[in-house]
Amino acid sequence: MRGTTTPRTGRFPTVGRVPAAVRGSTAGRTVAAARVLTAARAVPAGRVLRGALLWAGLAVPALGTAWLGLAEPQPWWRQAGALGVLGVAAAVSRARPVPALLLAASLGLAASPSLFTLSYGPALSVLGYLLGRRSAAPRPAQLAFAGIAAVGTALVLLRGADPVIEWLVLIGTLLFGAIFPWLTGRYRRQYRELVAAGWSRAAQLEREQEIVADRARLRERARIARDMHDSLGHELSLIALRAGALQVAPGLDPAHRTAAADLREAAAAATDRLHDIIGVLRDPEPGPGPGTAPTPSTAPLVPADETIPALVERAATSGLRVRLRAASGDGGVPGAVTGARPGTSGAPTMAERAAYRVVQEALTNAAKHAPGAEAEVTVERGPHETVVTVVNGPAAPDGPAPDAATPSGTGLIGLRERAALAGGECVAGPYEGGFRVVARLPHTAAGGGETAALGDTGDGHAFARARRAARRRVVVPFAVAGGGAALFVAGAFGWYAYIKTHSVLTPAAYAGLRVGAPYADVEPVLPDLTVTDPPADRAAVPPPPGAQCRYYRSTGELFVSVDHFRLCFRDGRLVSKHAVPRAGGPGVVQREVVQREEKESVR
């Protein structure tokens, strides 16, 4: 039996336990081998190679310091164990960066309670950097650093050799050798995330731009459909109105009357079919969404020489009982239908087009749904807006029958859209048994344009806020760590200066001490502190057997090698005193002390 592969991954589907029926058989061994191969394939070869290179890089300082003699010699089994721990840390550094850092820190603490070692310090820094690169949450790293500091502090206290200096070295090593690399890694991680987010945002903006372009094309198509419906529907309504007037004209023979009726029905049917066909192209939404303005019309389907007076006059000659009353907002005399062309009296183009469409649609509805009714068109032009009002009464009882088609309401929706396009509003409804349409059209649109159509989503401000937040996430930790480092350096320098200046035994006081004097006579001239790192290797004379020796500095100079004095006590008496020269040979103070001791011995 052969193992089958899945179409999706090409791997063996059996990844669990091998069934007992096939265990031990050829099929069972095949499935088991497939499971082993699947587990081996789960780890890419590149990741294994990078892990091996990382382990080699961490092991070089540990082996190099021992080979160069920069560290104390260790047994081979201890070095092998340390290399094994570094190998485990390198292997888990990608999936578990915090345990990897703790493994490196454990090696450093085992070598020195102050964590400062040349063998494992580079591993601590490298794994701290990788922790910042590979761990998004800062809390685990902070807990790890706190744990390392707590364990190191306990080891320093247990050691008992000048714990203050050891603790300062521990904090300094942890700060500069682990925390700063961790912050650098976090900065690199956040920078890469910011770059990736920027590219993602650019791709999203491109997609949004394509969506906006598609919406603009759909709106333009809907606008063309609306204009075609309004223009052709109006013309067909006028044809139907003329045919209706011809149908009821006196003196017409029955054949011609029937032909006029057929013509009227055909025009009405053509209007309905036009509405059905053009309605497919219309925007299904009733209007622009909240907070956005429609795209302004750029190619209106209006006759170039058509004005509101010409429109009303043409409707009147077609048999519609309509009259025009034009008024100006400053109290001017209303115009007549055949008078001057108020449509060209300086009103903005957008408002003029909207006013024309309102009158056209209102007259179309009056001719279609209230034939024979009287209609009145009022155009009031003020300094800031134009108000168009179209009122029609009920249908005439002796006129043609109203259109039996159910009103769709799309015409009124189109009027509201056009008024909103111009920055105004349109209100329509029953009025004194008839119908009234009122549109207020400002001469300057409140919003609109392509910028308003696209909408101000505030993406620029959001990106600026995100960039400032990212900077704060980077700057604040570095500022805190830098402030901590400054406090640490200041504290370490202050403590260094304190212990160095309070462990000074002046040459005059040293010369006044007599070997064999009781400790009670010597104690008043001794400083408060002793030297914590005595230069015992530079002393020419070994200390007396069974004596307790103390070392003191000869001067309070800082950051330089100075002469030291050694006083040895036994059984409560000073049994030996000796001057220890500074590194590089005897200093001035040490020579003066020697000369003074020689003169005293001669006397």
Side-chain angles (χ1 to χ4, degrees), residues 428-467:
Y431 178 75
E432 296 182 356
F435 204 79
R436 181 177 66 175
V437 178
V438 180
R440 295 183 175 274
L441 308 171
H443 295 171
T444 302
E450 288 293 332
T451 302
L454 297 179
D456 184 9
T457 58
D459 290 332
H461 299 290
F463 179 75
R465 288 194 299 269
R467 184 170 56 183

Side-chain angles (χ1 to χ4, degrees), residues 122-208:
L124 182 68
S125 299
V126 171
L127 293 176
Y129 173 79
L130 295 179
L131 173 60
R133 283 288 302 271
R134 296 171 178 175
S135 179
R139 182 61 59 86
Q142 295 171 357
L143 295 178
F145 294 141
I148 295 172
V151 174
T153 302
L155 293 178
V156 167
L157 294 177
L158 292 177
R159 184 178 181 182
D162 195 6
V164 177
I165 295 296
E166 291 285 341
W167 187 82
L168 289 177
V169 175
L170 168 67
I171 298 302
T173 304
L174 184 62
L175 181 63
F176 294 102
I179 296 180
F180 272 171
W182 172 68
L183 291 176
T184 304
R186 280 186 59 82
Y187 169 75
R188 291 294 304 170
R189 175 187 179 88
Q190 293 176 357
Y191 176 77
R192 290 172 63 89
E193 290 178 351
L194 185 62
V195 170
W199 284 110
S200 176
R201 181 57 185 162
Q204 181 181 358
L205 289 177
E206 290 181 359
R207 292 192 298 269
E208 291 180 356

